[in-house]
Amino acid sequence: MAEMSIADALKLALQEEMRRDETVFCLGEDVDIKGGMGGAFTVTKGLLDEFGPERVINTPIAEILISGVCVGAGMTGMRPVADLQYGDFLFCMMDQLVNQAAKMCYMSGGKVHIPMVMRAPCGATNRGAQHAQSLESYFIHVPGLKVICPSTPYDAKGMMKQAIRDDNPVLVFEHKLLYGSARKEKDAIKTSGEVPSDDYTVEFGKAAVRREGKDVTIVANLLMSYRAQEAAKELEEEGISCEVIDPRSLVPFDYETVERSVKKTGKLMIVHEDTYNGGWGAQVAAHFAQHGIFDLDAPVKIVAAYDTPIPFASPMENFIIPSVERIKKEAKELAEF
Amino acid sequence: MAEMSIADALKLALQEEMRRDETVFCLGEDVDIKGGMGGAFTVTKGLLDEFGPERVINTPIAEILISGVCVGAGMTGMRPVADLQYGDFLFCMMDQLVNQAAKMCYMSGGKVHIPMVMRAPCGATNRGAQHAQSLESYFIHVPGLKVICPSTPYDAKGMMKQAIRDDNPVLVFEHKLLYGSARKEKDAIKTSGEVPSDDYTVEFGKAAVRREGKDVTIVANLLMSYRAQEAAKELEEEGISCEVIDPRSLVPFDYETVERSVKKTGKLMIVHEDTYNGGWGAQVAAHFAQHGIFDLDAPVKIVAAYDTPIPFASPMENFIIPSVERIKKEAKELAEF
Amino acid sequence: MIKMPEKERAVGMYKKMYQIRQYEETIYYLFLEGIMPGTIHQSHGQEACAVGMIYDLRKEDYILTTHRPAGHDLAKGVSLRSMMCEMFGKAEGCCKGKGGAMHTGDIDVGAVTANAIVGGNLPIAAGVALRCKMMKTDNVAVCFFGDGASNEGAFHEALNAAAVWKLPVVYVCENNLYSATTSIKLTCNLENVAADRGSAYGIPSEVVDGNDVLAVNEAGARAIGRARRGEGPTILELKTYRIGGHSRNDACGYRPNEEEKAWFSKDPVRTFRERLIDERVITEEELEKIEKEITDEIDAEVEYAKNSKDPEPESALRDVYWEGGTR
Amino acid sequence: MIKMPEKERAVGMYKKMYQIRQYEETIYYLFLEGIMPGTIHQSHGQEACAVGMIYDLRKEDYILTTHRPAGHDLAKGVSLRSMMCEMFGKAEGCCKGKGGAMHTGDIDVGAVTANAIVGGNLPIAAGVALRCKMMKTDNVAVCFFGDGASNEGAFHEALNAAAVWKLPVVYVCENNLYSATTSIKLTCNLENVAADRGSAYGIPSEVVDGNDVLAVNEAGARAIGRARRGEGPTILELKTYRIGGHSRNDACGYRPNEEEKAWFSKDPVRTFRERLIDERVITEEELEKIEKEITDEIDAEVEYAKNSKDPEPESALRDVYWEGGTR
Ligand SMILES: Cc1ncc(C[n+]2csc(CCOP(=O)(O)OP(=O)(O)O)c2C)c(N)n1
Ligand SMILES: Cc1ncc(C[n+]2csc(CCOP(=O)(O)OP(=O)(O)O)c2C)c(N)n1
Ligand SMILES: [Mg+2]
Ligand SMILES: [Mg+2]
């Protein structure tokens, strides 16, 4: 048990899995160059020293290659873990992810399978539209992929280990403002927490109730799970009690935990940093429109980034991304409906 | 006025626009080789003869290039129209579409803009998982893109002309089974219809009510709009009256027309060939969960392809994609709720 | 001209080539009859490429193929029955009917599920080869692709990394002069679309007569040998020609008659057959007997496949995620 | 050594280089102070590449740049004020504060919005050049990219098509030996990562001392001339070196000291300054005066930018789709 950041918890997971299984290896651009950063956010820093260049591979800038290598190595018995620097570059490897990794097991009639982990840092951090996106929603629409988004050090370690052991392709969204890595980010949130040193995993498809409440159910992931908790705390003082659920994995998704909560509160709000139209919040809302409509005492609310590319300047970036204030205001409106 | 197929209506639109505006040009793999097919589905066949190789460009197999050329030519005053053969290859150009085409206007502060049309044949036709997808839902999640899906010859011509004149990137989803092209497809639907020879356009963001009804509102696009109409016709005989709405464009989306209908029927069902989880149907359902929940007398239904890659063999392919029977059954259930 | 090998080997190669030819022609007629579903991209005319390259591979070696996979898959040992059943979309197909004509394969014999995204298999081959290297085997990956594929970005990224990492992979371009209906001359300035690009990565390359199974086999041996010995990748460009259209319903209106005539006179199966007889490796009568056996087997498998069970509709819901099984 | 041009021209080049240097150093300190938002990828050390290539371009010619755009943009004539305002995320920024450091540009002066996807601008440049050709202008596109970018698939697809279509484009690789923290030696087997690949497309290429503005300018003139005359694309590989880190917070721990020392001794701004004085083109006093003017202007623009208006939060909702305007 030790207190550590998410970045370090992820690293610990990688180390433990690489130690226990020689088929696990890491790759990516600048993934661990001596004197470098260890990916863009320090997660892989230092692995080279322990595991050597054969298992910690600094690749060319070539996302088709990186993803293709994962598919090829994965289908022949390896467990590659790739680092993408910025999730935005997922689009450069989209064919390998969607047409190859996600479909190969199926197309082969279940003969081939592809364990692989693609690590995608996400979130808006004053870097402009091509280094800022939250991209989970694209990938929940791809049968054959699993999509996770750990937001605490405990989950980061346990879910990363689970991802590496999964026999299917797993996309891991890691939020830049939650890493707590040595590379300081403006507006970063301190997330460090206790991480057991033993070999635990966190199952996919189990949401975490981050805060209990009885008036409004808020489903929020990554950075938004923190903002939702902050909003809930402040609303508590106004006498409004919010339950905050962090889904942690989007595919598979734990509807049960959310349903149980909505049965209690009658009010559902989804908060994500990904843009609104066609976002994963729509899927959750649609689930309730189909299967839980009579549990709802009020319209569902989706609080998401407005439908724009991410702007650079802070006043605009802050406006686009759901803030604690916006979450509070919307939750209050819902509570008072 | 002449009766023609969707393939020919699209070609007519291309011809008319290329004649009236010298900045319009076509490009794509095999887009028009003498002795060839004219794209994969004959839409561009014969354009070379009229417009010559400078405006009808047979490209290398290089989707990044094709899309990049559209972005570059579009931002400097041209109006490129690219053919993709199969929509599945959109993933090979995803970066250019999502990170470049969709964001360039915004990132430039509105100085640059990119008129371009990307034509993506879609739909499952016994070709297996990599030549079968319906991909609209990925793109409704991209602020900066417009997404249309014409399903009649009239709309095909009018919306294609509108797309070419639009000052923003437009993705056009064309269904293989609706083309009515010379290249025969098993299970193809005869869609030919009257197409005016004059210079009309069809505005985006206006849904078409394909059939009026009072018990259930069915929103369905492309092939599913035909299956929904067929189901509605059969249900009529059982005394169930369905209103079938073809959104025609997904971005912008005409919620008004659907709202008006749901106010009347109290029942909403969305049908699409795209897979279920995170599909565009979820967005429509989410809209009603947020803004129209009290108009609903029953849970929303989404009838979509099951969440799998598209299988090859007919028994499985037919099972995955919503059939007339499945639509009927679900609509009936909804009507009788 | 390359020396004829001893009889068993020479006839072994011929048999495989003949099987592929007969398989593709049979499939062609099944399509014409309208009793086979889907679409096809056929490999007849290119049999020498498949057989020459694959004949000496180990089961533990891997091949990666394309939308035109039948020759490669048969040469690597995917069972004829499972191939034919897959073509008919049957439950006993090598992909349980889920893959179809563009996705045949069987990882258990080293034939990776075929890939219908042009260029898509090239970086995957790098991954497969990386695995062979990391696990310290001396197995190799042989990756087939077309002339058209060499213009894809995936080609560039894959070949560069294969070179830098000295991967045990052979990149085999079957240059059949066309990508679908487009002459490669329209889309590439090079005489040898793949081989002339070796220098862009520091990969040695060879141009080979792709209709001569022995020439392919010999060049293949050199390349595979380099890979096995840890000397890195090779590019082979095999000059060849499709007999049929790009896919169904393609009458090849874009190919000049003289070009077709010239290439058809170099038919890889017929010319090798003639040599076998000319050089008295085997008699025509023996060959006819062998050919009949092959034809009969294919016909029998067609009958078997036609009559075998369709997959259950609901089985479509399985195998989206791995359910365990053969590996 | 290339002959010194006449004074006005020589000093003109120096001024631009000095402006870029001063701009980048100012930005660097603003970041250190913590008063500038976002991240940076700076171009100091590479001024000769930008100025040599762009100095003689027409306003109607286009440049396409990368995550490291400042030198190119300033050289092409994007206004200093609008650049500085953009760096501070201000409403008067060249992108109204929406783009940021990695997306500066101004299409009205031919500086296409910079692209932060490595390799992403190469196919776009082909499209821009295609437009120049289709509209029968003799304008050209000059596309800058890094050594690392040349390993991207986009490089391959773009250069091949540019060659086949004989596009009026110059592909300029600024090889600064590193992609982020990775030595190009680790990811490419070639001495000249871009130039040595010209033969893979049939594109002529040249390797040039990227720290010598006159050498760059001369090679640029040849390449731009070819493009203007309709003779197709050229690859130029300019050997150069970053002065600063890849981005903020990068102390360049991965670069050997001796390497840094050797390169810093070839500083493009200082060496050209020395030549100007040595060859008596201009006196040191005159230069100091010019430099002070440039520095003062930059300082003034920093002050201006700091004090200029933030964008309205709600303005974030605009410009997602085109609203009409300057073009
Ligand atoms: C990424 C991608 N783009 C386009 C296609 C459509 N397509 C299928 S085969 C083909 C031609 C391939 O040519 P080549 O690589 O020479 O192989 P050949 O068909 O000649 O064997 C094309 C364009 C595809 N399947 N994948
Ligand atoms: C597609 C893509 N992959 C990775 C990155 C992250 N990244 C930004 S700059 C850079 C290095 C670029 O190296 P090079 O092309 O040599 O240009 P330089 O930075 O040296 O100017 C990387 C890897 C990116 N922006 N885009
Ligand atoms: Mg070919
Ligand atoms: Mg560099």
Side-chain angles (χ1 to χ4, degrees), chain A residues 29 63 85 89, chain D residues 67-68 116 118 146-149 176 178-180 246:
Chain A
E29 299 156 17
E63 289 76 17
Q85 300 204 340
F89 314 149
Chain D
H67 55 284
R68 203 178 294 294
V118 170
D147 44 289
N176 59 11
Y178 292 86
S179 61
H246 168 64

Side-chain angles (χ1 to χ4, degrees), chain B residues 227-245:
Chain B
R227 294 205 176 157
Q229 287 175 70
E230 179 62 29
K233 211 167 77 189
E234 296 180 18
L235 285 170
E236 194 75 64
E237 289 160 28
E238 305 186 28
I240 295 170
S241 157
C242 298
E243 181 142 309
V244 179
I245 299 175

